[in-house]
Amino acid sequence: MKVKTQSKKVNKAWLNQHVNDPYVKLAQKEGYRARAAYKLKELDETFRLVRPGQCVVDLGCAPGAWSQYLRRRLAPNGAATGALNGVIIGLDLLPMEPIDGVTFIQGDFREDAVLAQLQDALRVGDTLRPVDVVVSDMAPNLSGVEGVDAARISHLVELAVAFASEHLKPDGALAVKLFNGSGYNDLVQLFRNTFKVVKPLKPKSSRDKSSETFLVGMGLK
């Protein structure tokens, strides 16, 4: 019973923090599905990643807050529906409610068959549309075992870098979520080996207690 009581206290504390979170309130006010939209917004405003007319791939897109932000950025008037000046393709293992103008693929990014679907979505006739920006909010299910979790995180980031290397325009950009800790320095080095400019950023909307941070690579080497 003692453990159950502690669990209730923890859940109540988290719920209280969540309800009173200014970014949660702002997301509700502005029609975003999650507060995560403001992480991408800060990345975009800091590094000027997204512009109308671009082709953007959103990896780990569910529940859709990043795709919603991208959709508004590519819309002529910043609208959530209607005209769209650009292409947005979202991919996630989990289902996602439709977003007007966003092509969604449900599947595991680690599987070749799913990558093939993503490539098909980029196909225009006999050629593949070059991608301007790849954004990744992908994160594995964490086991609590540091070595195992670090390997899972690294694998997803490595896959995102490999995809970006193959599909980005020469001046394109990749933004990924990763976590401070084991394997972090190796991933930074991978970015430095791949991109001309590499910048880390922990957005203001990322909770202080979270070890998550973001890494942006711009311009393929």
Side-chain angles (χ1 to χ4, degrees), residues 7-196:
S7 177
K8 282 184 177 179
K9 286 181 179 178
V10 170
N11 290 338
K12 189 174 181 180
W14 180 89
L15 185 61
N16 186 57
Q17 180 190 26
H18 184 76
V19 169
N20 293 306
D21 186 311
Y23 290 102
V24 171
K25 292 180 178 179
L26 191 58
Q28 292 170 343
K29 179 182 177 183
E30 297 188 341
Y32 287 114
R33 296 176 183 177
R35 67 193 299 285
Y38 301 101
K39 300 174 187 178
L40 181 56
K41 184 175 188 288
E42 187 171 341
L43 287 167
D44 181 29
E45 291 177 345
T46 301
F47 301 112
R48 299 179 181 178
L49 301 175
V50 185
R51 295 183 298 278
Q54 289 181 330
C55 174
V56 185
V57 173
D58 181 5
L59 301 174
C61 60
W66 279 25
S67 286
Q68 285 181 303
Y69 174 79
L70 294 168
R71 197 253 177 268
R72 296 182 192 191
R73 283 286 286 124
L74 297 184
N77 299 309
T81 59
L84 183 65
N85 182 12
V87 174
I88 305 166
I89 302 169
L91 184 149
D92 203 292
L93 183 61
L94 300 173
M96 184 182 80
E97 288 294 319
I99 296 171
D100 187 35
V102 176
T103 299
F104 173 63
I105 299 167
Q106 185 175 353
D108 191 333
F109 186 62
R110 296 169 294 183
E111 296 180 0
D112 291 341
V114 176
L115 282 173
Q117 287 184 57
L118 183 51
Q119 288 182 327
D120 285 343
L122 290 169
R123 198 172 298 282
V124 179
D126 295 329
T127 61
L128 289 177
R129 185 194 307 271
V131 178
D132 295 278
V133 183
V134 177
V135 294
S136 172
D137 198 26
M138 291 190 296
N141 292 324
L142 300 179
S143 67
V145 180
E146 183 179 356
V148 173
D149 291 339
R152 290 175 178 173
I153 293 164
S154 295
H155 183 51
L156 288 175
V157 174
E158 289 162 2
L159 287 174
V161 171
F163 176 82
S165 298
E166 185 175 351
H167 294 283
L168 277 180
K169 291 181 178 178
D171 62 346
L174 168 66
V176 304
K177 177 168 71 178
L178 66 169
F179 297 86
N180 286 309
S182 177
Y184 176 82
N185 291 335
D186 290 339
L187 293 175
V188 171
Q189 189 58 51
L190 174 62
F191 263 67
R192 288 176 176 161
N193 293 340
T194 309
F195 297 98
K196 296 174 183 175

